[in-house]
Amino acid sequence: MKAALFYGKEDVRIEEVSDPGRPGPGQVKLRNAYSGICGSDLHFYYYPESVPWDVHRSHPLTGATLPQVLGHEFAGTVVEIGEGVTRVKVGDRAAVFPLEISCGTCVACRRGLPFSCPMMGSLGASATGGGLSEFTTVNASALHLLPDNVDLRMGALVEPMAVGWHGVSRTGFKPGGTALVAGAGPIGIGAWFAFKARGVEKVLVSEPSAARRKILQALGATVVDPVNEDLAAAVAELTDGAGVDVAVEAAGAGAAITSALASLAPGGRVVVVSLHEHPMEFNPTHMMMGETEIVGAVGYLPEEFDAVIAAMADGIYDTTGWVEEIPLEGVVDAIKALRTGTGAKVLIRAK
């Protein structure tokens, strides 16, 4: 079978690999359908030296070594079950929760924050197997079953949409409140959907890309160009001059954080959900005077996977205009295009 293999910095190859074979005890074998490319994939591709382990050695917890099958945002169909598996059956369709393992002993793990574990192992990055192959084996416990009206294409979006969902959870939002989303990439789009699903209708999306603003407008969002338009005036119009209650920063740019902070009402909160490649400078006086906050958000909880799937089943999510499908052979070109800010979400067909 073919798979996308990561060999190291800016080196991904489509190659023939061995079928993973029969699943072991507690595992299932999946026929992968779709796998998404996300910002962390780009970061891993261009800056593998930034992760807290040497990617050219076996991962300290999972034992995985390069070359590594990529793809941590994926969904597929169960084709075989291992010994002891009772909660799923052959033919079930599922989104995969990719967190494979965390150390269990560091401060983050002891505080119930496995995604903040520096040695976290994830399918499609640092644990054997991934979505960018025809088949893979995973622990049955990683499967989140899809209802009949949620297809596998949508199932592959559960993981990135759960990132946005978790970011919104961290804002401390209140239904009926107001919000700003800075950045209209997939995670920003996911945050916008998550606010809608949870009763926050007055949401402004700040995005400098005209193409991405057009996508969000077609979905029904209120958008603003923070470079060529007056963001402060747009926030004032949305909130009758009060400022937004909460904001999600999904742009990966320091200017997005500072503008989000300036948009907050007193007591408001900005949640950072994006990777930042460069440091930033800002004056914290505005935070002090308004008693505002900046907090981080990484990953998601299993129950947030289920909440996203339920919202998908209720028709909250719409992929019109922002999700593109390409074959496996196009993965490197897709990575390079996304790096330039072209497009929104790319799903790779596993076969």
Side-chain angles (χ1 to χ4, degrees):
M1 67 177 186
K2 287 185 178 180
L5 296 174
F6 176 73
Y7 276 84
K9 184 178 176 68
E10 297 183 45
D11 188 1
V12 169
R13 309 173 199 174
I14 308 302
E15 295 183 346
E16 289 287 338
V17 300
S18 299
D19 184 281
R22 292 183 58 83
Q27 293 186 320
V28 301
K29 183 177 181 179
L30 285 184
R31 180 187 294 276
N32 297 326
Y34 297 95
S35 184
I37 300 174
C38 84
S40 59
D41 290 320
L42 271 61
H43 196 72
F44 195 47
Y45 180 80
Y46 286 103
Y47 300 102
E49 67 276 6
S50 67
V51 300
W53 72 90
D54 183 350
V55 297
H56 295 284
R57 298 178 181 272
S58 62
H59 187 275
L61 296 181
T62 69
T65 58
L66 297 183
Q68 166 70 45
V69 177
L70 292 179
H72 66 275
E73 304 177 354
F74 66 108
T77 302
V78 177
V79 295
E80 193 172 354
I81 61 174
E83 180 183 350
V85 174
T86 58
R87 61 176 294 269
V88 299
K89 63 184 183 301
V90 171
D92 281 346
R93 300 168 311 109
V96 178
F97 191 95
L99 175 61
E100 182 71 6
I101 192 170
S102 55
C103 75
T105 59
C106 71
V107 174
C109 288
R110 295 200 307 270
R111 293 189 174 191
L113 300 170
F115 267 95
S116 296
C117 173
M119 291 294 110
M120 181 196 73
S122 173
L123 293 167
S126 53
T128 301
L132 288 176
S133 60
E134 185 177 353
F135 296 99
T136 192
T137 55
V138 300
N139 292 330
S141 58
L143 300 188
H144 289 249
L145 299 183
L146 302 175
D148 291 342
N149 65 339
V150 177
D151 62 20
L152 287 166
R153 185 174 183 267
M154 188 71 83
L157 295 171
V158 172
E159 197 275 354
M161 295 301 96
V163 174
W165 192 279
H166 181 65
V168 168
S169 297
R170 292 279 286 153
T171 66
F173 74 95
K174 294 181 179 179
T178 58
L180 170 70
V181 176
I187 304 305
I189 292 173
W192 180 76
F193 278 122
F195 276 124
K196 281 189 59 181
R198 298 157 93 176
V200 181
E201 292 293 337
K202 288 188 175 183
V203 183
L204 178 67
V205 181
S206 171
E207 171 56 56
S209 165
R212 288 182 171 181
R213 290 197 306 275
K214 185 177 180 180
I215 289 170
L216 263 295
Q217 281 181 310
L219 292 172
T222 302
V223 301
V224 62
D225 178 352
V227 176
N228 298 303
E229 297 178 345
D230 190 337
L231 174 59
V235 169
E237 181 178 356
L238 181 80
T239 65
D240 295 326
V244 293
D245 300 319
V246 297
V248 171
E249 187 278 316
I257 293 179
T258 54
S259 62
L261 278 169
S263 300
L264 290 177
R269 176 183 290 179
V270 174
V271 175
V272 177
V273 299
S274 59
L275 286 166
H276 285 243
E277 294 180 1
H278 305 290
M280 61 171 288
E281 294 183 5
F282 73 101
N283 187 330
T285 300
H286 182 82
M287 291 179 62
M288 181 270 290
M289 295 300 295
E291 292 202 353
T292 53
E293 302 174 87
I294 303 175
V295 302
V298 61
Y300 33 72
L301 300 172
E303 53 265 35
E304 289 172 323
F305 247 55
D306 292 331
V308 168
I309 292 171
M312 287 177 171
D314 287 341
I316 297 295
Y317 290 85
D318 181 352
T319 62
T320 303
W322 64 279
V323 178
E324 176 186 4
E325 292 181 27
I326 65 172
L328 182 63
E329 289 75 13
V331 64
V332 173
D333 288 341
I335 288 172
K336 292 178 179 178
L338 289 170
R339 176 71 172 172
T340 67
T342 303
K345 189 64 186 176
V346 173
L347 293 182
I348 308 295
R349 294 189 294 272
K351 183 180 179 181

